[in-house]
Amino acid sequence: MKLAFSTLGVPGLPIADVVRLAAEHCYHGVELRAHEEEPVHPGIGLTERADVAAEFKSAGIQILGIAGYARVAAPGADEPVLTEIRGLLELARDLGAPFIRVFPGGGTKQTAEEADATAARRLGTAVEYAGDLGVRILLETHDSHRTGAAATRVLGQVGHRRLGALWDVMHTWLGGEQPSETYAALSPYLGYVQVKDIASAEDTTPLPLGSGVLPLTECVEVLMRNGWDGWLCWEYEKRWYEAAAPLPGLLRPGREHLARLLNESA
């Protein structure tokens, strides 16, 4: 498997510094958080996009995905959500990223069936555009659809090769799923896996990998046992927890921990 980290862990860091960190600490790729407070988002121009792509290419680092914030099950009109997804897809195409991330984002006043239908309808439209651009949309296990079982209710309705799943191991654990259950649900759709660690279900402050309660060993074992050879991406949520330790000093031991889990599961 190949290893990446998310720029959610280094909020606002210039791209040159992100690339340097990835190269220095032997990560194969980076997931770019696409938000206006970050250097890369759908509002940047073609020249800036070309510069970002060249920076990564010159260092031999892959841009794994564009982590957007479109909420595909959210109540309201379809067109603003589809416009947001199109912007993410075009950004991914221009940067050479194979994936974009979207959230479910179902509302509390919807039934599960209504949220599923809304998400499936919008994604069914968006995947046609994704196919034209050669990018894959990944629905993250998050918020209203935090388990693999919940995500597959939507993915199965659409049934398109340009739509897949992003397995966030914290959310499936918080949702009460075992790694083997999540993998069984998501395996036909799995794009990549976000790993992280936390102290408890009540305290989700990010911790160094291996120092918390999330079942990372079991997740890696399930993936290895089934011959999955995609990406593990460390999403360290520093942006939401200012008191958390800075990510740069944790990158090398984090990579070593993941490499150890992979070796022990081989």
Side-chain angles (χ1 to χ4, degrees):
M1 298 182 209
K2 290 180 283 189
L3 305 180
F5 66 87
S6 168
T7 55
L8 187 64
V10 284
L13 193 69
I15 289 300
D17 294 329
V18 170
V19 172
R20 176 183 54 78
L21 283 175
E24 284 182 358
H25 298 295
C26 302
Y27 283 79
H28 306 97
V30 173
E31 177 193 75
L32 294 176
R33 175 179 181 247
H35 190 279
E36 290 182 356
E37 63 189 24
E38 299 292 346
V40 176
H41 56 82
I44 66 174
L46 290 176
T47 300
E48 293 169 284
R49 296 178 186 208
D51 290 344
V52 170
E55 188 92 45
F56 277 92
K57 185 176 181 180
S58 66
I61 306 297
Q62 170 74 49
I63 300 175
L64 169 59
I66 304 301
Y69 289 90
R71 287 166 166 77
V72 296
D78 288 355
E79 194 51 41
V81 180
L82 293 171
T83 297
E84 187 174 358
I85 294 173
R86 281 194 291 268
L88 293 168
L89 289 168
E90 290 167 359
L91 178 61
R93 175 202 58 194
D94 294 342
L95 296 181
F99 304 113
I100 69 162
R101 184 276 306 280
V102 299
F103 283 149
T108 57
K109 295 183 180 180
Q110 293 168 299
T111 65
E113 292 76 13
E114 288 170 337
D116 293 350
T118 298
R121 182 179 67 249
R122 290 169 176 165
L123 289 169
T125 299
V127 290
E128 299 301 329
Y129 194 54
D132 293 340
L133 299 184
V135 179
R136 195 172 183 210
I137 302 170
L138 300 184
L139 179 66
E140 183 171 326
T141 54
H142 197 272
D143 54 75
S144 61
H145 294 65
R146 72 182 347 168
T147 64
T152 55
R153 295 199 311 261
V154 174
L155 301 173
Q157 286 189 51
V158 180
H160 194 287
R161 64 186 182 88
R162 286 294 175 183
L163 177 64
L166 200 173
W167 177 6
D168 182 319
V169 301
M170 181 182 75
H171 283 280
T172 55
W173 180 78
L174 290 172
E177 271 188 344
Q178 296 299 313
S180 58
E181 296 172 320
T182 304
Y183 182 80
L186 296 182
S187 59
Y189 311 102
L190 193 53
Y192 63 96
V193 180
Q194 283 181 343
V195 297
K196 58 188 71 174
D197 224 337
I198 57 174
S200 68
E202 294 72 35
D203 182 2
T204 56
T205 303
L207 295 176
L209 293 178
S211 63
V213 297
L214 292 184
L216 300 182
T217 299
E218 293 87 341
C219 289
V220 171
E221 286 178 349
V222 166
L223 294 168
M224 292 287 285
R225 186 165 64 245
N226 287 279
W228 191 79
D229 63 351
W231 288 82
L232 300 179
C233 178
W234 186 6
E235 188 188 46
Y236 185 79
E237 298 185 348
K238 173 67 172 175
R239 173 62 183 84
W240 315 126
Y241 298 88
E242 292 186 10
L247 178 62
L250 306 177
L251 282 171
R252 187 171 298 277
R255 177 185 56 75
E256 291 171 350
H257 180 72
L258 291 175
R260 186 162 54 251
L261 294 182
L262 291 167
N263 287 335
E264 291 172 354
S265 298

